[in-house]
Amino acid sequence: MLKNITLGQYFPGDTIVHRLDPRIKILVALLFLVAVFVVRTMLGFLALAALFILIIALAKIGPVTILRSIRPLLFIIIFTFVLNILFYSGQTIYWQWGFLTISKEGIEKAVFIAIRLVLLIVATSLLTLTTSPMQLTDGMESLLKPLKKIKFPVHEMAMMMSIAMRFIPTLVEETDRIMKAQTARGAEFDSGNLLKKAKNMIPLLVPLFVGAFKRADELALAMESRCYHGDEGRTRMKVLHLKRADVWALVLMLAASVLFMVFL
């Protein structure tokens, strides 16, 4: 049931998007996130969507994979959509019952927020789907390197984020395995009211947390046995170097983001 979730997964490839410097991809993703929040018109959202479709085509990522990345947060999108329709008051009212109101402005607001959430998910998914956890770690650490002057633990922060993203697919797979095992023993996760469903999750959550802590302890022991001491005296096998394609990608995406934010 959970095996189709692509959150945090990396899909190897040899496309122009995969070969870009991870620092450039992180900066471009941040530009996209800012543009998604700033854009206020449907034309702007359509332009951003067209740009995302172009990047997806260049990265040779199937549309099914992108849809799978949206699936885990589909409930939040629908819930936010319904809340905005029912509780956003507007001038042109179509239906009203007590404090619940459906208006033209509320529908427009709900549609805009739903599109914004979908674009945010797609932008972050493109980053993780085309960039390995190790590349993300090196890219984030390189971008945050100036903070070392104020004693900020840059390397440790980047390492924790990388480990967290790497463990997401593992935890999803383990959750699916535990659910199948508990279902075979007679556990029911979908029956009853909300309170009963919450109680039914206990046979799933307890072994999941125990397994997560065990994996964390094993990882800590493995890192200590390999004499890992953070950034102290650490070298890298692959040093990041900006290429001409990276610079052009950043310039083009920066120009496109400014265009969206200013004119759309």
Side-chain angles (χ1 to χ4, degrees):
M1 181 174 63
L2 301 175
K3 62 182 180 180
N4 291 329
I5 295 178
T6 60
L7 184 64
Q9 292 188 12
Y10 165 63
F11 283 75
D14 191 29
T15 65
I16 185 173
V17 180
H18 285 81
R19 291 194 297 267
L20 287 176
D21 190 285
R23 295 170 294 182
I24 299 299
K25 286 191 276 190
I26 293 173
L27 291 176
V28 169
L30 292 176
L31 286 174
F32 282 159
L33 296 181
V34 173
V36 168
F37 278 109
V38 173
V39 168
R40 300 291 179 181
T41 64
M42 185 60 67
L43 180 61
F45 286 135
L46 292 176
L48 274 173
L51 185 57
F52 286 167
I53 292 174
L54 176 61
I55 297 175
I56 291 171
L58 291 175
K60 295 182 180 179
I61 298 175
V64 176
T65 302
I66 299 298
L67 292 176
R68 287 175 181 172
S69 65
I70 300 174
R71 182 180 177 183
L73 301 175
L74 187 59
F75 173 77
I76 297 177
I77 297 173
I78 297 175
F79 183 70
T80 307
F81 181 82
V82 174
L83 283 182
N84 279 275
I85 287 181
L86 295 178
F87 293 98
Y88 188 86
S89 59
Q91 300 296 327
T92 308
I93 297 177
Y94 297 139
W95 176 84
Q96 187 173 11
W97 184 67
F99 58 89
L100 301 178
T101 304
I102 297 180
S103 63
K104 177 183 177 182
E105 292 79 8
I107 295 175
E108 292 177 351
K109 184 74 173 180
V111 171
F112 275 29
I113 290 180
I115 294 175
R116 185 173 283 121
L117 289 174
V118 171
L119 292 178
L120 288 174
I121 297 171
V122 172
T124 53
S125 297
L126 282 174
L127 176 62
T128 57
L129 289 172
T130 61
T131 313
S132 67
M134 189 58 65
Q135 289 177 331
L136 280 176
T137 302
D138 293 341
M140 287 186 292
E141 185 175 353
S142 178
L143 291 174
L144 297 176
K145 200 171 184 178
L147 295 179
K148 287 185 177 181
K149 296 181 179 180
I150 58 174
K151 306 299 182 180
F152 186 81
V154 174
H155 175 77
E156 288 76 10
M157 181 65 68
M159 180 62 69
M160 285 190 297
M161 294 178 66
S162 173
I163 292 175
M165 288 187 295
R166 183 175 296 182
F167 267 84
I168 289 175
T170 303
L171 291 177
V172 169
E173 182 180 351
E174 188 168 352
T175 301
D176 188 61
R177 181 180 59 81
I178 295 173
M179 288 184 67
K180 290 179 179 178
Q182 298 291 16
T183 302
R185 294 182 176 92
E188 297 180 357
F189 298 102
D190 299 325
S191 62
N193 54 27
L194 185 62
L195 182 60
K196 187 175 180 181
K197 287 182 180 180
K199 290 182 179 180
N200 291 340
M201 294 299 291
I202 295 177
L204 170 66
L205 295 177
V206 172
L208 182 63
F209 275 101
V210 171
F213 282 114
K214 183 179 179 181
R215 289 179 183 274
D217 185 59
E218 292 174 351
L219 179 62
L221 290 175
M223 295 173 72
E224 288 180 0
S225 64
R226 290 168 173 80
C227 301
Y228 175 78
H229 299 290
D231 196 30
E232 180 183 352
R234 184 176 175 83
T235 59
R236 290 175 175 78
M237 183 176 68
K238 295 182 179 180
V239 182
L240 298 177
H241 294 289
L242 288 178
K243 295 171 288 187
R244 184 178 300 178
D246 300 319
V247 178
W248 275 109
L250 181 60
V251 171
L252 292 175
M253 295 307 170
L254 179 61
S257 300
V258 172
L259 178 65
F260 294 148
M261 290 184 282
V262 173
F263 297 102
L264 301 176

